[in-house]
Amino acid sequence: MSAARRPEDESAVDEAEDAPWSDVTPDAARRLLVAAVEAFAERGFHATTTRDIAGRAGMSPAALYIHYRTKEELLHRISRVGHDKSLAVLSEAADAPGGADSRLAEAVRAFVRWHAAHHTTARIVQYELDALDPAHRTEIVALRRRTEAVVRGIIEDGVRSGSFDVPDVPGTTLAVLSLCIDVARWFNAAGRRTPEQIGDLYADLVLRMVGAAPSGSAQR
């Protein structure tokens, strides 16, 4: 059984939510992105107004248009940054040394941790895709395909080496990604498990899915 969540665990998750925007400049543009994340998460993209976003950022509605031409442009920036960051985390883990089993476990662990630690951002990134205009949607879909290719590549390596027993690689890839991404939908910073504990649990679950021996990390 997992230990109870400590206040410092919740604080760390809250700080992680701000991390994707740390390199956005100037400060006003960053504040607007953070405000948009909060507003979209609370009300949804379509129900949120530019006035809502500006008010949360402590700015006038007119000031928003200095940095972003439309509400959709804000969503696109959030989605682009979120997909870039999560893909980088996944790719780094997938490129770690070791066999396909250890690489898949580490990739899942890292991807799940990101979606839990940045659950508010991740919900918007993953579930507001249809609100993007066609050109922006095409751009983001391409990033999602790159993410899918990383996971599929590890699974294919494991099948070739005999480490995995996977009759349907594309379907299994989709199942693994869906499992990881859905963490953002239900994760609660005040819940029983930390992002790290959920990452360990899901890594073992995915290894079982592909017919590999679980690492046992979820029991630690």
Side-chain angles (χ1 to χ4, degrees), residues 21 33-42 44-45 74-76 78-79 83 118-130 132 144 184:
W21 322 116
L33 276 182
V34 172
V37 168
E38 294 172 353
F40 294 158
E42 181 181 314
F45 174 79
L74 264 168
L75 177 63
H76 170 247
I78 292 166
S79 191
H83 278 89
H118 305 91
H119 55 281
T120 305
T121 298
R123 280 199 303 274
I124 297 162
V125 164
Q126 296 297 342
Y127 299 116
E128 293 283 10
L129 181 66
D130 289 341
L132 293 170
R144 292 163 83 96

Side-chain angles (χ1 to χ4, degrees), residues 160-215:
R160 280 193 295 267
S161 68
S163 300
F164 299 160
D165 179 14
V166 179
D168 182 349
V169 171
T172 302
T173 300
L174 178 60
V176 170
L177 288 170
S178 297
L179 187 70
C180 297
I181 288 168
D182 196 56
V183 169
R185 182 181 57 80
W186 59 260
F187 181 79
N188 184 345
R192 189 166 63 92
R193 295 179 189 267
T194 65
E196 290 74 20
Q197 289 169 331
I198 298 169
D200 287 343
L201 172 64
Y202 277 39
D204 279 357
L205 290 174
V206 166
L207 289 180
R208 294 177 191 273
M209 284 173 60
V210 299
S215 67

